[in-house]
Amino acid sequence: MKILNEMKIILPSNSVNEGAARAAVSSFLIQADPTVEELSDIRTAVSEAVTNAIVHGYRGTKGNIEIIVRLLSEREIYIRIKDRGCGISDVKQAMEPLFTTAPEEERSGLGFSVMESFTDKLRVSSKTGKGTTVTMRKRLGCNGNC
Ligand SMILES: Nc1ncnc2c1ncn2[C@@H]1O[C@H](COP(=O)(O)OP(=O)(O)O)[C@@H](O)[C@H]1O
Ligand SMILES: [Mg+2]
């Protein structure tokens, strides 16, 4: 699919940057004229992925989070969120609803489930000690633009 436009941002893993990432991604995507609901779904999915990078990936340390957003042909949105943190030893287990390694922090274990249900496609690749990359795709409806 053709890349029509692209944004790359790198943010340090300060917790305040969860909001900054969400705001940056949604302002970039305004040009695609998404519905309020589509934009809200994307914002939520981005928040979950960035929060995970901050609280799990870089737990006890600091590092950068790299975000790429692409606007593709046929109103497809591609979002990649990458950290170079601790990584996930068992991705399949981590993606199960309610699974969390931080129950004492009252984490719900639903972050990946939210990303999955608010986008069309979710891919998670991770290597222990190397980091985690979350890729999401979502096709926007016509909303008068087709
Ligand atoms: N970027 C990441 N780096 C390291 N571990 C992660 C990352 N994202 C998710 N995880 C692991 O996957 C688990 C499930 O994530 P999630 O579904 O968002 O639930 P929660 O964040 O509530 O624990 C986390 O508890 C954590 O162990
Ligand atoms: Mg989470």
Side-chain angles (χ1 to χ4, degrees):
M1 225 170 268
K2 201 169 154 216
I3 300 173
L4 304 176
N5 202 357
E6 181 178 52
M7 175 179 74
K8 284 188 194 177
I9 50 173
I10 295 175
L11 292 166
S13 59
N14 311 348
S15 58
V16 70
N17 282 338
E18 184 225 310
R22 190 174 49 205
V25 171
S26 57
S27 30
F28 177 76
L29 289 177
I30 288 298
Q31 65 191 286
D33 195 22
T35 63
V36 171
E37 198 191 344
E38 285 166 341
L39 196 57
S40 156
D41 288 356
I42 292 168
R43 286 166 61 93
T44 306
V46 167
S47 285
E48 292 294 338
V50 173
T51 302
N52 280 351
I54 296 169
V55 307
H56 301 299
Y58 292 120
R59 176 173 296 265
T61 60
K62 285 268 184 262
N64 285 337
I65 301 165
E66 188 187 293
I67 301 168
I68 295 181
V69 186
R70 289 184 184 141
L71 192 56
L72 306 175
S73 48
E74 295 174 36
R75 296 180 63 68
E76 178 124 352
I77 310 284
Y78 167 100
I79 302 174
R80 195 184 82 182
I81 295 165
K82 181 174 176 175
D83 68 64
R84 295 182 197 281
C86 65
I88 303 172
S89 56
D90 185 340
V91 173
K92 195 165 171 271
Q93 179 189 46
M95 291 178 77
E96 275 166 20
L98 303 175
F99 177 86
T100 180
T101 49
E104 70 289 349
E105 291 165 18
E106 295 181 15
R107 301 248 153 236
S108 63
L110 288 172
F112 283 129
S113 306
V114 165
M115 289 178 235
E116 202 151 38
S117 59
F118 284 5
T119 61
D120 298 330
K121 209 187 245 174
L122 170 67
R123 229 191 100 225
V124 182
S125 67
S126 192
K127 211 168 172 196
T128 314
K130 295 271 182 215
T132 302
T133 302
V134 172
T135 311
M136 299 180 276
R137 283 174 179 267
K138 188 176 179 74
R139 182 91 169 261
L140 301 179
C142 274
N143 194 22
N145 294 284
C146 301

